[in-house]
Amino acid sequence: MLSQLKMAEALRSDTRGKLVAALLAGAWRPDTSASDCSLEELELLTPLVMETGAGALAWRRVRHSELKATPAAQQLHDAYRLYKLRAVIYEREVAEIFRLLRSHSIEPILVKGWAIAKHYAEPETRPCGDIDLCVSKEQFAAAQAVLKSCAGRPHTFDLHREFRHLDDRSFDELAARSELVELEGALVRVLSAEDHLRVLCYHFLREGGWRALWLCDISVALESRPASFDWDLCLSGNRRRDNWVACSIGLAHQLLGAEMSGTPVAVRDAKLPAWLLPSILREWEVRSMSLRHRTPMSSAISQPLRTLKGLRHHWPTPVEATVTLGASFNELPRLPFQVGNFLSRAATLLARLPRALRNEH
């Protein structure tokens, strides 16, 4: 049990986030070192890393330590074994869906998930949830129809119309640089290393950075990039968006120890604003974005009381508000961006309200 003093310290706004960072630092590498966290800290952290899908990675840090036989460590070991089993099913499904879509003359691009997991020292330790597929706008409706026939599979499909919300480059440009990788006898199309790193950074920030696992993805993409990696292709020339990439990489370096050697000066010397790192650490503790999904504002009509109780989780985080409004990460106060983002989302909800009421009745 945690002592009163340790419990008080653990409840500070960013202490648990810092402990999560220390536990996961370098966990994706082949030669990851043993964690030096205490039993009390491991007991505190295990529910956090389990909930966000980093349990197997945490086990890689704990399995060589003196804590490997403790109940908390065994929970992480169980996650490690479970993820290995699930990875087999996931990989087969990815291969099958590519075969199926190609049989209908549809060529998707896989993002996140296995596309980044394959670069981990143990790919199975990076759990994959939805199968994220991007298709051209011309093939989107046909792809939707095909995927409807796949209902009931263990994994759901998240179909994206091109790269909306994921990148600002055109689908044709990204497809032209994409690569084919063999998986279970099928050829799976993935983004180039340059484009995937940028997409991972955008996605991490747009979601408020609430999952430490996504920062591990950025670290892996950074450290596994090929010798031919072209930073001019990765960076868009758009000052704000390049600022997002640089700050994401800076967070991966400062929090998880990601190696930054060989990065351009614009990335390596990027200054993180004072509010950014504390905001990320707080999200790793409170996980407001995750809690928000459990009480979406769209359920306000059918479940008003439940939605009201979860309303506090809908206040935008500083990171989310900055990216959603297309702003830079600088030292300006974030409150105006948060207010602007909240009002924008509220206006969208109100615009949809009449239709929702009609459907309800």
Side-chain angles (χ1 to χ4, degrees):
M1 297 292 292
L2 288 171
S3 67
Q4 292 297 318
L5 182 61
K6 279 189 173 290
M7 180 62 77
E9 183 183 357
L11 291 176
R12 284 169 41 199
S13 62
D14 64 354
T15 298
R16 281 188 282 187
K18 290 177 180 176
L19 293 175
V20 168
L23 180 60
L24 297 180
W28 57 87
R29 296 176 182 139
D31 56 349
T32 184
S33 59
S35 169
D36 59 358
C37 70
S38 67
L39 175 59
E40 291 84 1
E41 290 169 346
L42 185 62
E43 289 174 344
L44 180 72
L45 296 178
T46 294
L48 291 178
V49 295
M50 289 285 288
E51 183 179 344
T52 57
L57 286 172
W59 168 249
R60 297 192 79 239
R61 295 289 320 279
V62 173
R63 64 185 176 186
H64 299 304
S65 76
E66 296 177 353
L67 301 178
K68 64 181 180 182
T70 63
Q74 286 308 303
Q75 289 185 55
L76 301 177
H77 192 194
D78 289 343
Y80 176 83
R81 290 182 290 193
L82 179 61
Y83 293 171
K84 279 183 170 286
L85 292 174
R86 287 180 175 173
V88 175
I89 300 172
Y90 180 90
E91 290 175 6
R92 287 175 181 171
E93 281 200 87
V94 170
E96 288 172 8
I97 201 61
F98 266 80
R99 292 191 191 99
L100 178 60
L101 288 169
R102 283 208 183 100
S103 72
H104 289 79
S105 300
I106 299 169
E107 186 66 15
I109 300 176
L110 180 73
V111 294
K112 302 181 290 179
W114 181 81
I116 186 62
K118 67 188 181 73
H119 295 293
Y120 279 69
E122 291 184 83
E124 304 88 351
T125 59
R126 197 287 185 193
C128 301
D130 297 343
I131 298 175
D132 286 272
L133 301 168
C134 299
V135 297
S136 67
K137 59 180 181 292
E138 293 82 9
Q139 296 186 327
F140 185 76
Q144 278 186 312
V146 172
L147 294 180
K148 280 183 181 178
S149 68
C150 301
R153 292 184 178 230
H155 294 88
T156 56
F157 301 99
D158 194 356
L159 185 65
H160 302 268
R161 186 193 296 269
E162 304 198 339
F163 287 87
R164 187 175 173 229
H165 302 315
L166 291 173
D167 200 10
D168 61 342
R169 306 287 180 94
S170 73
F171 183 86
D172 289 342
E173 179 184 352
L174 297 179
R177 287 199 294 267
S178 65
E179 305 165 354
L180 290 172
V181 183
E182 194 276 333
L183 175 65
E184 294 287 328
L187 290 176
V188 173
R189 187 170 294 280
V190 298
L191 290 172
S192 69
E194 294 87 353
D195 293 329
H196 205 197
L197 174 57
R198 188 179 60 254
V199 165
L200 291 171
C201 291
Y202 288 2
H203 175 259
F204 171 73
L205 295 176
R206 192 174 184 277
E207 292 293 319
W210 72 270
R211 289 186 78 182
L213 180 67
W214 293 334
L215 198 59
C216 290
D217 287 346
I218 293 170
S219 301
V220 169
L222 184 66
E223 293 188 356
S224 66
R225 69 189 191 276
S228 59
F229 189 92
D230 188 339
W231 280 103
D232 288 334
L233 286 179
C234 179
L235 302 175
S236 65
N238 180 306
R239 233 174 126 182
R240 290 180 179 177
R241 287 182 173 266
D242 289 350
N243 168 254
W244 298 350
V245 173
C247 284
S248 298
I249 292 173
L251 285 167
H253 173 68
Q254 289 198 26
L255 290 175
L256 301 179
E259 178 57 56
M260 291 184 67
S261 62
T263 58
V265 173
V267 172
R268 189 169 59 253
D269 294 345
K271 183 180 179 182
L272 302 184
W275 56 266
L276 179 55
L277 194 144
S279 176
I280 293 295
L281 292 175
R282 184 176 183 277
E283 279 305 297
W284 288 5
E285 178 187 352
V286 302
R287 306 174 307 287
S288 62
M289 291 289 283
S290 173
L291 296 170
R292 184 189 303 176
H293 294 317
R294 300 179 192 175
T295 55
M297 292 301 293
S298 58
S299 65
I301 297 171
S302 58
Q303 298 176 302
L305 184 59
R306 182 167 177 256
T307 304
L308 187 61
K309 289 180 178 178
L311 193 60
R312 69 184 184 277
H313 303 306
H314 287 267
W315 181 249
T317 71
V319 174
E320 172 197 9
T322 299
V323 173
T324 303
L325 295 180
S328 295
F329 288 91
N330 53 37
E331 296 295 349
L332 292 176
R334 293 298 103 177
L335 182 58
F337 297 100
Q338 291 172 276
V339 171
N341 179 258
F342 183 80
L343 292 176
S344 175
R345 284 167 41 205
T348 300
L349 178 65
L350 289 173
R352 294 175 179 171
L353 195 56
R355 180 177 178 182
L357 286 170
R358 288 196 299 271
N359 293 338
E360 187 70 15
H361 298 291

